Every structure is written in C-alpha cells, then in structure tokens.
Amino acid sequence: MIDEKYFDILCKAFASLENEEEIRRFLEDLCTPQEIDALSRRLMVAVMLKRGDVYTKIVEQTGASTATISRVNKTLTYQSAGGYSIILDRISGELK
C-alpha cells in the first residue's frame, strides 16, 4: 500500500528537477541499480507494446518476463492512470 504523504513528497521531488542530468543523479541516489534497470525495462516494454510488438519480441529484446509484460499491458489497456500515455507521447519522437 502506498503512503500518500510519502508519495506526494516523491512526486514533488521529481517535479522539482530541471533536466535529464538532475533526474539521472536523483534516480542513481534514490534507487539501486537493479531498481533502475527494472523501471527502465518496464518503460521499454510499454514502448514496445504501444508499437504493437509481440510478447516474444519484447522478451527477446528486453529480457522482461511475460508476467511483467502482461502487467504493463494491463496497465496500458485497462487500469492506467494515464502516466504511460503522457510519457510515451512526449518521448515518442526520441524513440524512432
């Protein structure tokens, strides 16, 4: 369960960052390398799902489990708070 007070502080922290370098530095301090890798892979899974890539290709290219792919797909399709859509729309030009 998410503690809303702590989550709000985390969101404010991210919102206060001014550029990619600051975000990178904060993530490197905040997360373990494994956590950063997991977050990065999950975002790449979302990118590939939005492109229409099939699970086998996503597994092959990202190393993500089919359970992770299914979870991301479920979020994109049914339970989204809209976060993936915002990010994917904003960075889509950088991913081609």
Side-chain angles (χ1 to χ4, degrees):
M1 181 146 176
I2 296 174
D3 183 310
E4 289 297 322
K5 182 173 95 177
Y6 296 154
F7 187 54
D8 287 346
I9 292 168
L10 178 63
C11 291
K12 286 177 180 156
F14 272 105
S16 75
L17 299 170
E18 296 180 7
N19 55 51
E20 286 181 43
E21 179 60 25
E22 288 185 0
I23 295 166
R24 176 180 293 277
R25 290 168 61 182
F26 180 57
L27 282 170
E28 287 176 353
D29 285 349
L30 182 67
C31 301
T32 66
Q34 294 82 7
E35 290 167 332
I36 293 170
D37 184 64
L39 292 170
S40 301
R41 285 177 194 274
R42 197 169 297 151
L43 180 57
M44 193 63 215
V45 166
V47 167
M48 295 180 78
L49 285 168
K50 186 164 182 176
R51 278 196 315 227
D53 293 337
V54 296
Y55 277 36
T56 51
K57 181 177 180 181
I58 297 170
V59 168
E60 183 180 293
Q61 288 191 0
T62 67
S65 69
T66 55
T68 295
I69 298 167
S70 293
R71 207 168 20 251
V72 172
N73 191 44
K74 186 177 179 182
T75 301
L76 283 170
T77 308
Y78 306 109
Q79 298 178 338
S80 180
Y84 276 128
S85 294
I86 292 167
I87 293 301
L88 295 175
D89 288 345
R90 289 183 184 168
I91 67 171
S92 63
E94 298 174 35
L95 300 172
K96 294 179 181 178

